[in-house]
Amino acid sequence: MDSATSDARTPLGASADNGLKIVVVGGFGVGKTTLVRSVSEIRPLNTEETMTKAGEAVDDISEVRGKSATTVAFDFGRITLDARNVLYLFGAPGQERFWFLWDRLFSGTLGAVVLVDTRRIGDSWYAIDRLEHHGTPFIVACNDFGGQTYAPQQIREALDLDPHVPLLDCDARSRASAKQVLISLVEHVKNHHGPQSGRYDTQVPAPHQELAL
Amino acid sequence: MSRPGRDDSPDRLYTLTGGRTRSGPDSPFDLVTLVVAECDPATGMQSEHAAILRITEHPTAVVELAAELKLPVSITKILLSDLLTAGRVSARHPRKADLDPDVLEQVLVGLRNL
Ligand SMILES: Nc1nc2c(ncn2[C@@H]2O[C@H](COP(=O)(O)OP(=O)(O)OP(=O)(O)O)[C@@H](O)[C@H]2O)c(=O)[nH]1
Ligand SMILES: [Mg+2]
C-alpha cells in the first residue's frame, strides 16, 4: 500500500496553486543536470515523454504499438518560491533531433537558460535558433570548465547573439551561481518580454517536421 | 497489486489506459499543473489511480506524478483525465506568468530569498 511513496518526497504545501517552468538547454554534458541539482529542493527526478513522429504527445496508444512513437527523457527539479508559486526547472538536451519535442513539452515556459561550454560553442547554435524562432526569452550562461577564457564579445560573435540577450559566466556546481543565473533570466524576462512587449503574438508553434528515428 | 516498475512496453501502457488514448492536444493538463486528490483511494480501484490519489494528498505537479509512477507523461495525463472526469482529483492550472508582472515579481522575490 505504501510503496508508491517509497522515496522521501518533499510534498508541496497545501496552498501551492501555480506551477512555473524554466528550461535549461545545452549540449551533452554541459552541466544541465548539475545546475538543476544545485538549486533544486528535491533530488532531480527523471521522467519521459512519448512522442509521435508528428511531434505530438501520444494521444493514441496504437501509435506506441505501431512504433511510430519515440521516447524522450528529461530531468527536472523544483523550487518552492512562496506559499503559492512553485518553479520547476527542466534539463533538456539541445540536440537538433529533440527540438520539436521540446517545443511542445515546454510551451508556456517562463524562459530558458542556454548553457554553453566555450570549448564546444557550436553545440548551442541550434538551441539558440529554436528559442529565437519561438520567441522564448532566454539568457546564455557559460559554464566554467576551466578551459581557455574568451572575451564576452568573442562569445557573442561566435553565437551570433542579439545584443539584448544577457551573457554571463556561471559554475553550475555552485548554488549561488546557479541562483544568479535564474535571477538574471527572470529579470531579463521582466525587462524585455513583459506584458507590453507583444511576444504573445509571436508564439506560433513551429511547423513540423520529421523525426529521424 | 504492487507498485508498477518502469516498464513502458506498449502492451502495458495499453492495458493501463484501457486502450484509450486521448490526452494529447486538448489535454487540460500541463507538465506543471498541480493535482490535488478530492477523495481517498478505494478498494477495487485501478492501482495507478489509487497511487495517484495517495500521492496527490498534497498538491503534486503532473511531471512529478509521472516520475513517481514511472510512467510517460502522456500516459499519466490519460490516467489523470479519468480521475478528473470522475471528480476524484482537482487541477490547479498554471497562471500565465508572462502576462502577469506581479507573478514575475513574486518569482524574483522567491529566487532572491533562496
Ligand atoms: N568543472 C566543471 N565541471 C562541471 C560543471 N558543471 C558540471 N560539471 C561536470 O560536468 C559533467 C556533466 O554534467 P551534467 O550536469 O551531468 O551535464 P548534463 O548537461 O546534464 O549532461 P547530459 O544530460 O548527459 O547531456 C559532470 O561530471 C559535472 O560534475 C562546472 O561548472 N564546472
Ligand atoms: Mg543531464
Side-chain angles (χ1 to χ4, degrees), chain A residues 99-113:
Chain A
W99 256 93
F100 75 80
L101 306 175
W102 305 135
D103 279 354
R104 287 195 64 98
L105 223 42
F106 299 135
S107 68
T109 189
L110 211 61
V113 174

Side-chain angles (χ1 to χ4, degrees), chain A residues 196-207:
Chain A
Q196 270 83 46
S197 77
R199 96 165 158 105
Y200 318 102
D201 306 330
T202 67
Q203 283 213 335
V204 184

Side-chain angles (χ1 to χ4, degrees), chain B residues 3-103:
Chain B
R3 179 183 185 210
R6 166 98 59 183
D7 170 6
D8 298 338
S9 71
D11 285 336
R12 171 168 179 258
L13 300 184
Y14 193 84
T15 307
L16 276 185
T17 58
R20 240 155 355 96
T21 54
R22 319 180 314 100
S23 92
D26 39 321
S27 165
F29 294 102
D30 188 272
L31 282 177
V32 299
T33 296
L34 299 172
V35 181
V36 186
E38 295 295 338
C39 67
D40 292 326
T43 44
M45 243 179 213
Q46 191 182 337
S47 67
E48 283 75 17
H49 283 167
I52 289 171
L53 292 179
R54 276 195 299 273
I55 298 166
T56 58
E57 190 187 329
H58 304 278
T60 308
V62 170
V63 69
E64 286 183 274
L65 269 173
E68 184 105 355
L69 296 169
K70 301 192 188 306
L71 287 172
V73 172
S74 50
I75 302 298
T76 304
K77 287 181 182 176
I78 293 174
L79 294 167
L80 284 171
S81 298
D82 294 344
L83 291 168
L84 187 68
T85 304
R88 294 191 161 130
V89 298
S90 56
R92 300 176 182 174
H93 298 293
R95 281 177 275 159
K96 283 260 168 208
D98 50 7
L99 292 170
D100 187 345
D102 289 346
V103 172

Side-chain angles (χ1 to χ4, degrees), chain A residues 26-35 37 75 93 95 115 143-146 170-173:
Chain A
F28 280 127
V30 75
K32 303 178 292 289
T33 304
T34 304
L35 187 136
R37 184 184 302 115
D75 48 23
Q95 284 71 30
L115 260 191
N143 204 7
D144 177 13
F145 284 94
C170 78
D171 183 333
R173 299 162 301 179

Side-chain angles (χ1 to χ4, degrees), chain A residues 164-204:
Chain A
H164 83 276
V165 174
L167 170 71
L168 56 153
D169 290 320
C170 78
D171 183 333
R173 299 162 301 179
S174 149
R175 179 176 166 86
S177 180
K179 174 180 153 181
Q180 188 52 50
V181 167
L182 298 179
I183 290 173
S184 302
L185 172 65
V186 179
E187 282 175 339
H188 174 61
V189 173
K190 205 169 153 228
N191 295 337
H192 292 272
H193 297 266
Q196 270 83 46
S197 77
R199 96 165 158 105
Y200 318 102
D201 306 330
T202 67
Q203 283 213 335
V204 184

